[in-house]
Amino acid sequence: QTVVTQEPSFSVSPGGTVTLTCGLSSGSVFTSYYPSWFQQTPGQAPRTLIYSTNTRSSGVPDRFSGSILGNKAALTITGAQADDESDYYCALYMGGGISWVFGGGTKLTVL
Amino acid sequence: QVQLVQSGPEVKKPGASVKVSCKASGYTFSTYGTNWVRQAPGQGLEWMGWISAHNGNTKYPQKLQGRVTVTTDTSTSTAYMELRSLTSDDTAVYYCVREDPRVGPNLGDYWGQGTLVTVSS
């Protein structure tokens, strides 16, 4: 069974830079998995930040960026702001009938 | 502007079915696909299915095969997700998401506001 892994929690200081990762329990993440990233605050619908590894969704500020780092997909937030405090989910495209698998999410604290 | 407006909350008994709607506006509905994603209380996100706007093709996760059906009505720009044989594990917020077929596989860019489905006896 495919398991997508994310750090359960992370913290960053205001103005700082943080990189969240998205990996596979077995194997490496490549661009062919079309990694996507989503931000969710409590009680709200998720918001799409990044798709296809590094393409920002409409209206997303450029301090959010996506990449492949080593064998994982990565979401980097530069100049962290208080309202970046959210849950962040990645999703990988597995193709075939499985299609999309989400990671368990990372709770980001800005303090 | 693009909007996806979902139907209201539902309370169902175990074994029943639920059908959630997602009415789209602000774009040409027939040129975009729709994904469905759910989130159980306090849990993460789970992909539930996809339908192509182009030809009506669908995909579902193996876990839900046979219990879930996604459809569209292009005359009303509405997507539907029906889930059958409900159990308490299906209690969740259900989201529709607009998929852009022009950019390769993607879950989508615009999300509906979510529909809470509660399964309880």
Side-chain angles (χ1 to χ4, degrees), chain A residues 34 36 38 40 43-48 51-52 57-58 89 91 93 95-104, chain B residues 35 37 39 43-47 59-62 65 95 97 103-114:
Chain A
Y34 298 90
S36 300
F38 308 90
Q40 187 181 35
Q44 300 297 311
R47 170 196 183 196
T48 300
Y51 60 91
S52 295
S57 192
S58 177
Y89 293 93
Y93 181 69
I98 302 175
S99 287
W100 294 96
V101 179
F102 283 94
Chain B
N35 278 296
V37 173
Q39 185 171 38
Q43 303 300 308
L45 302 171
E46 179 185 15
W47 175 72
K59 287 185 181 179
Y60 307 107
Q62 191 170 11
Q65 282 277 2
Y95 297 100
V97 196
V103 298
N106 66 97
L107 261 164
D109 49 2
Y110 286 90
W111 293 66
Q113 85 277 17

Side-chain angles (χ1 to χ4, degrees), chain A residues 21-80:
Chain A
T21 67
C22 175
L24 284 169
S25 55
S26 177
S28 299
V29 176
F30 302 107
T31 57
S32 55
Y33 284 97
Y34 298 90
S36 300
W37 292 91
F38 308 90
Q39 177 191 48
Q40 187 181 35
T41 53
Q44 300 297 311
R47 170 196 183 196
T48 300
L49 296 175
I50 301 285
Y51 60 91
S52 295
T53 306
N54 55 14
T55 303
R56 273 184 295 277
S57 192
S58 177
V60 174
D62 60 7
R63 56 196 188 79
F64 291 91
S65 62
S67 63
I68 299 291
L69 284 181
N71 62 349
K72 296 182 179 182
L75 173 71
T76 299
I77 307 171
T78 58

Side-chain angles (χ1 to χ4, degrees), chain B residues 3-49:
Chain B
Q3 279 195 305
L4 300 174
V5 179
Q6 298 184 220
S7 47
E10 303 263 13
V11 179
K12 297 292 183 180
K13 292 194 182 304
S17 299
V18 68
K19 192 169 186 176
V20 178
S21 67
C22 169
K23 183 167 177 58
S25 61
Y27 66 97
T28 304
F29 180 75
S30 59
T31 61
Y32 289 79
T34 303
N35 278 296
W36 288 87
V37 173
R38 70 177 177 179
Q39 185 171 38
Q43 303 300 308
L45 302 171
E46 179 185 15
W47 175 72
M48 292 192 66

